[in-house]
Amino acid sequence: MPSRDYLSGKRIIIFGFGRQGRALARWLPTIGAEVVVTDSRGAKELGIRRSQYPGARFFLRGHPEEVLIGAKAICVSGGVPLDLPIFELARKRNIPFTNDAQLFIERCPAPVIGITGSAGKTTTAALVTKILKAAGYRVWLGGNIGNPLVEDLAKITKNDVVVMELSSFQLELMSNSPQVAALLNLTPNHLDRHGTLERYAAAKANIIRFQTQTDVAVLGWDDSGSRAMEQLVRGELSAFSAYDLVPDGAFLLGNRVFVAGSASYDSTPHVVCPRDEIPLRGDHNVANVLAACAISGSMGLAIDRPGVMPEAMREAIRAFRPVEHRLETVRRIAGVTYVNDSIATAPERLIAALQSYDEPLILLIGGADKDLPWEVALQLALAKARHVIVFGKEGEKQVLTKVLKLLSLMTVRDDQVSRTQTLEEAVHRASEVAQDGDVVLLSPGGTSYDAYADFAERGDHFRQLVSAL
């Protein structure tokens, strides 16, 4: 008979009722926990009926102090800031904080591969999943990528493998680490939430911080922020690099991808594939492929399973296609290619997108700003794009406001920049100025929260607008 879960009979408070909160509200009662839900929005805004969650008690449109009565733990959804006044009160009462990712890893019977980074998490996690499936494993993909996974615990076995994408918001609260932990890169991001780069880096470091000597850390060797985490590694270290011949992991030599060391099934260097067989644009996606090879190859070392053969890596890489909203070709009209890169919610992501194209660009940027530096991205945009269209409204936290201020300090042709209020206006303006051979690139550089629920909703709207042209 399975042992009783330590949360059974305990009152658990769920803060934030998005995808993660809803999964918890369905799962927690199955282990005998009492559920209380609180959100700043109302039921109509959330699009829910309370009857969908029998047994749960709801406090909506705010977080009253009484929500903490009898609380034994607080589960915080990723989008909920940790500086709410109610949380300070909870800390004074010594109520522990956790989240769906931590609760899942604590209970997961299968080995877990965790992947984080400022960029590339989703593509890498998706490719690792494809590689492991090609190698014959039964794989569960989830976490920040869309599926919280806690509801799948009853179906996961010890012979499976779990791949989790983990965000800084999730990691900030976690005090355990997966058996295989990958930190792809570390560049300024989410400073509007974390405040400083140091706090952001500390949150990301939690993916490695609690590993044991039998675990594996995979680091992006070409990124100084990721490489600096070597000091935290307790177990085996694997790496990936487009420039250095790392002894353990994956690297690019000439025009070929290699795996070596623990990432190689027999420890010797093996060719995975030529670079030109990678069906994804951009150097950043070459790095994602190298990361996926290092992660999937090193997995065997951490969990005592057979190493992944280069053939499985090659098969998955060749068949892989861009994850939606990531340099996703939407349509070609009259010689003009429209590309959806709505995932570009920071200037660093915009830079990676710009570096992926040699064709003339019509660039669409905008959204909400995350207190990140824009100078380098904007200079590159003006150098590479034939026309830049800035969309959005004025405001202290808007990309439009920051970009217009920076443009006033730069030398810009009168015909090189357009300003629009909405994405719809931006798409129509792009269709007016685009010429045969151009790429219209939505790579906003800002978050979607000024006008959309998330980057996916913004990308979906872009698709609809382009389809209607």
Side-chain angles (χ1 to χ4, degrees):
M1 178 178 291
S3 60
R4 189 169 182 263
D5 194 285
Y6 74 88
L7 292 182
S8 180
K10 306 290 179 61
R11 176 172 291 185
I12 311 301
I13 317 302
I14 299 172
F15 274 81
F17 210 52
R19 185 184 293 112
Q20 295 166 338
R22 295 176 201 204
L24 284 169
R26 291 187 292 264
W27 171 72
L28 283 167
T30 69
I31 60 170
E34 179 185 347
V35 175
V36 177
V37 173
T38 179
D39 197 292
S40 60
R41 298 163 292 179
K44 187 175 181 181
E45 294 171 89
L46 290 167
I48 62 164
R49 295 189 306 275
R50 300 186 190 202
S51 60
Q52 295 172 299
Y53 304 90
R57 186 182 180 190
F58 284 82
F59 292 86
L60 301 180
R61 298 194 182 281
H63 310 298
E65 184 176 334
E66 64 180 299
V67 78
L68 298 180
I69 294 175
K72 298 303 180 183
I74 289 174
C75 292
V76 186
S77 297
V80 179
L82 295 180
D83 58 357
L84 295 177
I86 190 75
F87 288 158
E88 184 58 33
L89 186 60
R91 293 182 186 101
K92 289 179 180 178
R93 297 183 184 183
N94 295 316
I95 302 173
F97 287 68
T98 187
N99 59 28
D100 64 290
Q102 169 121 340
L103 294 174
F104 173 81
I105 292 178
E106 286 176 354
R107 292 162 177 77
C108 183
V112 176
I113 296 171
I115 299 171
T116 196
S118 301
K121 298 184 295 294
T122 299
T123 296
T124 302
L127 182 52
V128 168
T129 300
K130 296 285 188 185
I131 291 172
L132 294 180
K133 286 183 176 180
Y137 288 96
R138 186 186 187 211
V139 189
W140 300 82
L141 173 63
N144 192 59
I145 200 170
N147 177 20
L149 285 172
V150 289
E151 292 183 279
D152 295 316
L153 275 168
K155 296 177 283 187
I156 298 172
T157 75
K158 65 180 182 180
N159 296 317
D160 300 340
V161 179
V162 173
V163 179
M164 292 187 76
E165 177 189 325
L166 294 167
S167 71
S168 62
F169 297 169
Q170 292 169 307
L171 289 165
E172 191 173 21
L173 284 174
M174 292 176 64
S175 56
N176 54 13
S177 299
Q179 288 97 324
V180 180
L183 177 56
L184 308 181
N185 44 58
L186 186 64
T187 55
N189 205 345
H190 299 299
L191 299 190
D192 55 333
R193 164 71 174 262
H194 296 287
T196 66
L197 180 59
E198 289 73 22
R199 288 177 60 186
Y200 172 63
K204 289 290 193 184
N206 282 347
I207 198 169
I208 297 171
R209 196 186 308 277
F210 307 105
Q211 285 192 309
T212 68
Q213 292 182 343
T214 60
D215 295 333
V216 176
V218 181
L219 300 180
W221 214 240
D222 301 334
D223 179 88
S224 60
S226 174
R227 190 167 178 167
M229 297 296 174
E230 181 185 8
Q231 60 184 325
L232 295 178
V233 177
R234 295 181 180 180
E236 297 292 329
L237 172 64
S238 185
F240 61 94
S241 173
Y243 306 105
D244 294 338
L245 275 62
V246 295
D248 198 318
F251 57 86
L252 191 68
L253 178 60
N255 193 40
R256 296 185 293 177
V257 173
F258 284 79
V259 287
S262 66
S264 169
Y265 71 98
D266 62 359
S267 299
T268 59
H270 285 274
V271 176
V272 175
C273 66
R275 175 177 174 153
D276 57 15
E277 287 189 1
I278 298 174
L280 304 175
R281 274 185 176 260
D283 291 343
H284 65 296
N285 275 320
V286 173
N288 292 336
V289 167
L290 291 168
C293 292
I295 293 164
S296 56
S298 300
M299 181 200 69
L301 186 66
I303 63 177
D304 194 26
R305 303 280 182 89
V308 176
M309 301 285 281
E311 289 77 13
M313 299 179 189
R314 184 180 307 122
E315 176 186 338
I317 291 166
R318 285 173 171 172
F320 195 71
R321 295 296 177 264
V323 181
E324 48 180 18
H325 311 301
R326 292 157 176 83
L327 295 184
E328 172 195 18
T329 298
V330 175
R331 188 182 179 193
R332 292 182 177 87
I333 312 171
V336 177
T337 303
Y338 288 80
V339 176
N340 170 21
D341 192 42
S342 184
I343 187 62
T345 59
E348 289 283 345
R349 285 183 178 264
L350 168 59
I351 290 170
L354 289 168
Q355 292 173 335
S356 300
Y357 288 90
D358 295 322
E359 299 92 329
L361 295 175
I362 310 297
L363 175 66
L364 280 58
I365 57 175
D369 184 44
K370 293 191 283 189
D371 296 333
L372 301 177
W374 265 84
E375 289 81 358
V376 174
L378 194 54
Q379 288 168 356
L380 183 61
L382 292 172
K384 296 206 67 167
R386 194 169 61 76
H387 198 91
V388 177
I389 301 170
V390 191
F391 64 90
K393 297 181 179 179
E394 290 270 16
E396 183 183 354
K397 295 290 186 179
Q398 298 299 309
V399 167
L400 179 74
T401 303
K402 180 173 281 189
V403 166
L404 291 177
K405 183 177 180 180
L406 289 171
L407 286 173
S408 69
L409 304 174
M410 299 178 179
T411 303
V412 183
R413 298 193 320 268
D414 292 340
D415 64 344
Q416 193 176 7
V417 177
S418 295
R419 172 183 171 182
T420 62
Q421 284 199 321
T422 66
L423 179 58
E424 181 175 8
E425 292 174 1
V427 170
H428 282 290
R429 177 58 180 155
S431 69
E432 291 173 352
V433 299
Q435 301 173 2
D436 187 3
D438 285 353
V439 172
V440 174
L441 173 63
L442 171 68
S443 192
T447 72
S448 57
Y449 301 131
D450 59 328
Y452 301 94
D454 52 31
F455 72 85
E457 184 178 276
R458 177 172 62 189
D460 289 341
H461 190 208
F462 177 74
R463 286 195 198 122
Q464 294 166 9
L465 293 168
V466 171
S467 296
L469 289 175

